[in-house]
Amino acid sequence: MAKQPQPISPLKNFFAGGFGGVCLVFVGHPLDTIKVRLQTQPKPQPGQPPLYSGTFDCFRKTLVGEGVRGLYRGMAAPIIGVTPMFAVCFFGFGLGKRLQQRKPDDILTYPQLFAAGMLSGVFTTVIMAPGERIKCLLQIQAATGETKYSGSLDCAKQLYREAGIRGVYKGTVLTLMRDVPASGMYFMTYEWLKNTLTPEGKSVSDLSVPRILFAGGLAGIFNWAVAIPPDVLKSRFQTAPAGKYPNGFRDVLRELIREEGVASLYKGFTAVMIRAFPANAACFLGFEVAMKFLNWAAPSL
C-alpha cells in the first residue's frame, strides 16, 4: 500500500470537501433529475405505456418539455446543502481515520478506511435527509404538471407547516440505510484506487489529474452499486402522500416487490451509473485541488 499523506486534518477535509461537493452537483444534477423521475413515475394503467420508457426517453421528454432548466430542477436545495453536506462528509471521513490512528503516522487498513467512510455517512444524514426530501419533491413536481411549491424555501416551509420537523426529515432512516454502507464503499474504493495507481516510491498526493479522475469516478460507481436499492425506496417514501406507507420502508419494499418485482429496486440504474463517474470524478478532483491549495495557504490548519 502506498504511503498515505500525513498528518490527517479533518478541518482541511471540511473545506476541501465542500468545494468538491459543489463540483459534483454542477456535473451530476441533470442525471440525478432523470434518476428521481424514473424512480417515482406512477405505475401505468393496463394497456397504457409508462410515462418514461427509459433513461434516454426521460432525458428527451424533459429537455423537449422543459428545456435545459428542467434538467436542473430542484438544484437550489442540493447547492445550498451540498457545501456543508460534503464538508461534513469529508470531515467525518478525516475524523474517522484519525480516531483509528494510535500514532499520527499510522497507515490505515482498508477495513479501517471503510469504517471511517461509514462514519461520514452518519454525519451527513442530518443535512442530506431534508435536502433529498425537498429535491425529490421539486424534481417530480414538473413532471406531474402541478405547481405546489414555488422553490426550495417554499417547499421547506410547506412541509414544516403540514407536519413539523418530522415532515422535513421524512426518510431519514432510509437515508442512513443508503449512505452509511455506501459511504464506506465510496471512500475505501477511492483510497484503494489511489494507492493502486500510485507508482512505486511516489506519494499519493502526487497523482496526476487523469488518475484522480479515474479513481474518483470508479469510487462513485462502487458507491451507487451499494446505494441504489435503498435510494429507490427513499425516493418513493419521500415523495409519497402523507400516510401512504404507515410502516415506513417496509411498506414501500413490499409494494414494489409485489407490483413491479425485484428489478424495481434498480430503477434509474442507467441514469445513476452514467452520472456516477463524471460527477464523482469532478468531486474528488475538486477535493484534491482544494486540499493542495489549503496545504499551501494554511499548512498549520
Side-chain angles (χ1 to χ4, degrees), residues 209-283:
V209 168
R211 293 187 179 196
I212 291 172
L213 289 171
F214 180 74
L218 275 187
I221 288 175
F222 275 80
N223 170 82
W224 278 105
V226 174
I228 288 178
D231 185 64
V232 173
L233 298 177
K234 180 197 68 65
S235 294
R236 282 290 183 103
F237 184 70
Q238 287 186 319
T239 57
K244 182 176 180 180
Y245 300 116
N247 295 313
F249 73 90
R250 290 172 294 177
D251 285 349
V252 187
L253 180 62
R254 276 194 291 263
E255 180 186 82
L256 276 172
I257 299 297
R258 183 179 65 251
E259 296 185 358
E260 303 178 47
V262 176
S264 63
L265 293 173
Y266 287 88
K267 276 191 172 184
F269 179 86
T270 303
V272 167
M273 289 305 172
I274 292 173
R275 170 185 178 268
F277 192 96
N280 289 283
C283 174

Side-chain angles (χ1 to χ4, degrees), residues 18-299:
F19 181 71
V22 172
C23 295
L24 179 143
V25 171
F26 274 109
V27 172
H29 191 79
L31 278 161
D32 186 71
T33 298
I34 302 303
K35 171 192 68 101
V36 170
R37 290 188 177 184
L38 286 170
Q39 290 176 343
T40 58
Q41 66 175 319
K43 185 181 179 182
Q45 297 297 320
Q48 296 294 318
L51 182 60
Y52 307 116
S53 62
T55 298
F56 297 103
D57 181 55
C58 184
F59 181 86
R60 181 183 61 80
K61 287 179 178 176
T62 301
L63 197 60
V64 170
E66 305 168 51
V68 174
R69 290 183 63 183
L71 295 171
Y72 282 91
R73 191 79 60 182
M75 194 177 74
I79 280 291
I80 292 170
V82 78
T83 301
M85 190 269 290
F86 267 83
V88 168
C89 176
F90 279 84
F91 172 83
F93 180 57
L95 181 63
K97 289 195 292 184
R98 176 175 281 186
L99 288 173
Q100 295 180 88
Q101 289 181 311
R102 294 182 178 180
K103 297 180 295 184
D105 59 348
D106 281 350
I107 297 176
L108 301 180
T109 64
Y110 292 121
Q112 287 176 315
L113 291 170
F114 185 86
M118 288 197 298
L119 180 64
S120 76
V122 175
F123 272 49
T124 56
T125 297
V126 175
I127 301 170
M128 178 70 85
E132 287 276 299
R133 169 99 154 114
I134 293 165
K135 172 182 71 69
C136 289
L137 288 170
L138 291 173
Q139 284 173 327
I140 66 166
Q141 170 177 268
T144 60
E146 300 177 1
T147 310
K148 183 178 180 180
Y149 310 111
S150 61
S152 299
L153 186 59
D154 180 55
C155 182
K157 286 180 178 178
Q158 289 195 46
L159 291 173
Y160 185 78
R161 187 163 56 245
E162 292 168 3
I165 196 68
R166 291 185 64 181
V168 178
Y169 273 87
K170 182 179 179 179
T172 297
V173 172
L174 279 164
T175 305
L176 275 169
M177 289 172 61
R178 181 193 69 176
D179 288 350
V180 170
S183 295
M185 180 64 73
Y186 187 52
F187 284 107
M188 183 189 72
T189 302
Y190 181 64
E191 295 289 335
W192 167 63
L193 287 168
K194 281 205 306 178
N195 288 327
T196 301
L197 294 170
T198 300
E200 190 68 32
K202 298 287 186 178
S203 169
V204 291
S205 61
D206 297 326
L207 273 182
S208 64
V209 168
R211 293 187 179 196
I212 291 172
L213 289 171
F214 180 74
L218 275 187
I221 288 175
F222 275 80
N223 170 82
W224 278 105
V226 174
I228 288 178
D231 185 64
V232 173
L233 298 177
K234 180 197 68 65
S235 294
R236 282 290 183 103
F237 184 70
Q238 287 186 319
T239 57
K244 182 176 180 180
Y245 300 116
N247 295 313
F249 73 90
R250 290 172 294 177
D251 285 349
V252 187
L253 180 62
R254 276 194 291 263
E255 180 186 82
L256 276 172
I257 299 297
R258 183 179 65 251
E259 296 185 358
E260 303 178 47
V262 176
S264 63
L265 293 173
Y266 287 88
K267 276 191 172 184
F269 179 86
T270 303
V272 167
M273 289 305 172
I274 292 173
R275 170 185 178 268
F277 192 96
N280 289 283
C283 174
F284 276 110
L285 180 62
F287 170 78
E288 297 290 356
V289 169
M291 185 64 80
K292 285 187 177 181
F293 174 78
L294 289 169
N295 286 333
W296 170 77

